[in-house]
Amino acid sequence: MRHFSREVDVLIVGGGPAGLGAAIAVKENGIDNLLVLERANFLGGILGQCIHNGFGLHRFGEELTGPEYAQRDIDRVKELGIEIQTETMVLSVGEDLVVSAVSSKNGMQLIKAKAIILAMGCRERPRGALGTPGTRCAGIYSAGTAQQFVNLEGYMPGKRVVILGSGDIGLIMARRMTLQGAKVLACVELMPYSSGLNRNIVQCLQDYDIPLYLSHTVIDIKGKDRLTGVTIAKVDDNRQPIPGSEKDLECDTLLLSVGLIPENELSQGAGVDLSPLTSGPVVDDSFQTSIPGIFTCGNVLHVHDLVDYVSEESFKAGRSAAQYIKGLLPPADTVQVLDGEGVRGTVPQRIRLGQEESIALMFRPSGVFRNAVCTVTSGGRQIARKRAQIFTPGEMVTINLKKEEVAALSDSVTVSIERSK
Amino acid sequence: MEITCINCPVGCLLQVEMAGGKVLSVSGQVCKRGEIYAHQECVNPTRMITAVVPVAGSQMPLSVKTEQPIPKQDINKCMAELAAVQVEAPVRMGEVIIRNVCDSGVNIIATKEIARTV
Ligand SMILES: Cc1cc2nc3c(=O)[nH]c(=O)nc-3n(C[C@H](O)[C@H](O)[C@H](O)COP(=O)(O)OP(=O)(O)OC[C@H]3O[C@@H](n4cnc5c(N)ncnc54)[C@H](O)[C@@H]3O)c2cc1C
Ligand code: SF4
């Protein structure tokens, strides 16, 4: 028999907003034997470096900065007396719910859990995944790494900056670098629309007269040791550079803001089914993965725009894990949730039959749809509908299924976006 | 003219009718805050400012914010005052770092805890 360092009811991997929210819900639902493992030496995950405001409007009704938002959950976790080990890195999660972790304080630990909640967050797409041509000189960073340098280490990575990609972190960093004294020359986006929020385009670019080049890309990177400049060009409908449209920009720093991917090495190791669309685990509406007893929430499940929704999701996942421990979450038959026209990567992918609770379905539109309607159908019947002025890939859409509709389900569910006539 | 409401992620496109420096009508907003925003933005635009400042006695810089939005035209002056400020660890969350920044009547406060590390 294997010897375990300890046994817990619920083990939570990651102490970001998702892990903290899940821990709070587990405890508040009556399970006391729980443990949170976090590899950093602080709690709150990526929020610590998001020093701008705009967090918590939905959850707290006020605009907080990232560190302020995180502190509220940290305070609550401490108040509830939840045990947390920081500087503890989880190395593996087994199908048998055995977790191995390492820290300098406790060495190697082998922990047996009755339920596990995966809340490892996401990380940025690296440059390699993009295939930008040119030299491999210094001065090229992901926007999140630059955010970490400036906001957590107080170090400015450069003076003249070009940003490739218009994701929110890139937009936020355009403003941050400008405010901290750098010159941001341009934000360059391959697509004909930005993947960032409109409010960030206004308050991060327009406020500081930073031009946004849509349908443009970086075609050359110059510099031997340190970056000295980039060449940008307009692209055609097939995203190919248009000859003659090149423009040289002299800069010492290039920030890449080209999207986030869930961090799922641990999930993969456990043998949890992953979705190729979200890059996160496949879950049912209780946020349980394909392995009984393993739950997940937050950016490791799918990339969220707003931390408020991460918290909301984590409360549900934590409550489910507590119910599972109490034997109140029996295995159930499920129906599939399918992506229809205009929809990509709906979460959850499965809905349990024979229950009566409203369910939120979340997805990203596959393109830009103006004045359109999102519908959910099952067995040839429309069971939910939502109209919006605009649906864009930059903003996650949530559509709720009423509990009566959930109770009546017997067939698979399809989510689609229709252009209204 | 057209402006984007920046109060929440919905980002409504607002049509604002103006005459003689005054707002006559606002349309396009999903909620009331859009209208309030349009009045503010077209007459005296304001912004919340967040930043980091170095801290003596800590390796980590301190993140700060204006307690209330300040006039947009004061952003540069505000950053200049922040660049000159001297802060010493430890710092409590919510502690006032600059009182009445650029005479706006608004304080700059700490948004995180900083312990002494050096
Ligand atoms: C660089 C970056 C910038 C962002 N900026 C914004 C923004 O400006 N505004 C916004 O609303 N959202 C932003 N987001 C999204 C934001 O991350 C989420 O809203 C929220 O923080 C997600 O919470 P989470 O707990 O799922 O993930 P995270 O906050 O990433 O937390 C995950 C935690 O798990 C820990 N962890 C991971 N692997 C292990 C392991 N093996 N063992 C132990 N611990 C582990 C990590 O150290 C981390 O603390 C940003 C994301 C990134 C990556
Ligand atoms: S008008 Fe209301 S809903 Fe629209 S962006 Fe402004 S605050 Fe949001």
Side-chain angles (χ1 to χ4, degrees):
Chain A
M1 220 184 90
R2 278 209 280 177
H3 180 75
F4 300 117
S5 328
R6 60 188 287 186
E7 297 186 21
V8 296
D9 283 343
V10 182
L11 185 130
I12 296 166
V13 187
L20 295 178
I24 291 168
V26 168
K27 178 89 185 189
E28 286 181 343
N29 279 280
I31 303 297
D32 294 327
N33 186 8
L34 78 160
L35 174 65
V36 181
L37 302 181
E38 165 57 53
R39 76 178 158 200
N41 63 357
F42 56 90
L43 294 172
I46 217 83
L47 285 181
Q49 70 186 60
C50 299
I51 65 149
H52 58 281
N53 64 314
F55 302 84
L57 214 51
H58 293 267
R59 189 169 155 211
F60 300 116
E62 58 182 307
E63 269 199 276
L64 303 171
T65 63
E68 291 171 316
Y69 186 102
Q71 196 60 44
R72 298 209 173 181
D73 287 333
I74 296 170
D75 289 347
R76 182 71 186 138
V77 159
K78 293 206 169 131
E79 209 174 277
L80 288 169
I82 293 169
E83 188 190 346
I84 296 190
Q85 292 183 10
T86 52
E87 293 178 85
T88 303
M89 166 106 173
V90 172
L91 300 176
S92 72
V93 174
E95 203 178 340
D96 49 1
L97 307 201
V98 173
V99 169
S100 68
V102 64
S103 70
S104 52
K105 193 164 151 226
N106 297 314
M108 264 308 267
Q109 299 179 79
L110 209 56
I111 305 167
K112 169 86 182 130
K114 290 189 190 135
I116 294 172
I117 303 175
L118 302 172
M120 291 90 73
C122 60
R123 61 157 177 266
E124 293 178 286
R125 285 213 162 84
R127 176 182 174 187
L130 283 174
T132 325
T135 54
R136 295 291 187 259
C137 50
I140 305 173
Y141 308 93
S142 71
T145 304
Q147 191 177 42
Q148 192 180 331
F149 282 157
V150 179
N151 294 347
L152 293 182
E153 287 157 40
Y155 157 76
M156 279 285 279
K159 291 200 180 74
R160 286 176 67 83
V161 185
V162 171
I163 296 176
L164 175 58
S166 61
D168 286 311
I169 308 166
L171 299 178
I172 298 269
M173 281 314 290
R175 174 177 62 183
R176 171 69 38 236
M177 299 281 287
T178 306
L179 283 174
Q180 307 285 152
K183 170 84 187 153
V184 179
L185 302 165
C187 178
V188 181
E189 168 62 54
L190 180 65
M191 304 303 282
Y193 51 84
S194 165
S195 56
L197 298 173
N198 267 336
R199 67 193 304 234
N200 285 336
I201 293 181
V202 171
Q203 59 184 353
C204 298
L205 297 184
Q206 290 171 9
D207 273 5
Y208 300 95
D209 299 320
I210 300 167
L212 170 62
Y213 294 100
L214 296 173
S215 299
H216 274 72
T217 191
V218 169
I219 56 165
D220 194 21
I221 291 171
K222 286 168 278 193
K224 244 172 68 199
D225 302 320
R226 175 83 196 195
L227 181 68
T228 55
V230 298
T231 307
I232 66 172
K234 200 169 166 41
V235 296
D236 60 22
D237 293 344
N238 300 317
R239 300 184 207 169
Q240 293 307 308
I242 301 171
S245 69
E246 299 87 357
K247 190 194 286 227
D248 290 325
L249 298 174
E250 214 177 284
C251 60
D252 60 15
T253 305
L254 177 66
L255 299 188
L256 307 176
S257 177
V258 289
L260 302 167
I261 29 176
E263 187 155 343
N264 271 299
E265 285 73 14
L266 290 179
S267 324
Q268 223 158 2
V272 159
D273 287 346
L274 295 181
S275 152
L277 293 171
T278 58
S279 309
V282 170
V283 291
D284 67 18
D285 59 281
S286 71
F287 296 96
Q288 188 161 215
T289 65
S290 59
I291 299 182
I294 300 188
F295 298 80
T296 183
C297 56
N299 277 357
V300 75
L301 172 57
H302 55 158
V303 177
H304 293 254
D305 306 325
L306 280 179
V307 69
D308 303 58
Y309 298 148
V310 169
S311 300
E312 205 177 299
E313 186 173 284
S314 68
F315 295 146
K316 292 184 194 163
R319 196 188 60 167
S320 298
Q323 285 174 331
Y324 178 85
I325 297 293
K326 293 191 258 182
L328 300 175
L329 199 73
D333 287 336
T334 59
V335 291
Q336 263 189 301
V337 180
L338 304 168
D339 295 337
E341 194 79 32
V343 169
R344 246 182 93 84
T346 308
V347 170
Q349 289 88 352
R350 303 189 148 272
I351 296 178
R352 291 167 301 143
L353 292 177
Q355 51 153 344
E356 280 186 61
E357 267 196 73
S358 65
I359 291 175
L361 300 176
M362 289 169 280
F363 67 89
R364 281 183 193 276
S366 59
V368 177
F369 300 85
R370 278 176 204 283
N371 194 15
V373 180
C374 168
T375 62
V376 183
T377 55
S378 179
R381 216 165 57 80
Q382 192 178 92
I383 57 173
R385 167 186 179 87
K386 180 178 193 164
R387 173 182 289 281
Q389 282 180 336
I390 186 163
F391 290 107
T392 83
E395 280 174 41
M396 181 134 63
V397 180
T398 302
I399 184 162
N400 291 305
L401 299 186
K402 292 207 184 94
K403 57 182 180 208
E404 304 85 70
E405 298 292 0
V406 173
L409 280 182
S410 60
D411 219 337
S412 68
V413 165
T414 305
V415 188
S416 351
I417 295 181
E418 295 166 9
R419 273 174 228 278
S420 52
K421 284 125 217 151
Chain B
M1 67 175 162
E2 258 186 8
I3 59 170
T4 304
C5 177
I6 60 171
N7 268 312
C8 92
V10 176
C12 296
L13 204 56
L14 310 176
Q15 274 79 39
V16 187
E17 222 186 307
M18 298 209 33
K22 279 207 173 128
V23 176
L24 296 180
S25 73
V26 184
S27 58
Q29 68 275 27
V30 163
C31 77
K32 185 98 182 68
R33 287 201 301 165
E35 195 177 330
I36 300 169
Y37 173 77
H39 281 268
Q40 183 78 53
E41 184 70 8
C42 295
V43 179
N44 175 23
T46 60
R47 295 289 184 266
M48 286 288 292
I49 298 298
T50 61
V52 283
V53 293
V55 179
S58 159
Q59 264 143 20
M60 225 193 227
L62 173 70
S63 56
V64 298
K65 70 173 183 185
T66 51
E67 242 176 326
Q68 302 291 328
I70 61 166
K72 209 170 136 181
Q73 78 222 26
D74 287 344
I75 293 177
N76 284 336
K77 265 199 282 172
C78 169
M79 290 311 294
E81 281 192 36
L82 273 170
V85 80
Q86 303 223 346
V87 184
E88 248 180 75
V91 185
R92 278 173 299 109
M93 187 178 275
E95 197 172 311
V96 175
I97 301 301
I98 300 179
R99 208 166 281 288
N100 187 20
V101 69
C102 37
D103 259 335
S104 59
V106 174
N107 295 333
I108 289 187
I109 60 169
T111 57
K112 87 160 61 138
E113 267 338 296
I114 297 269
R116 232 194 137 76
T117 52
V118 212

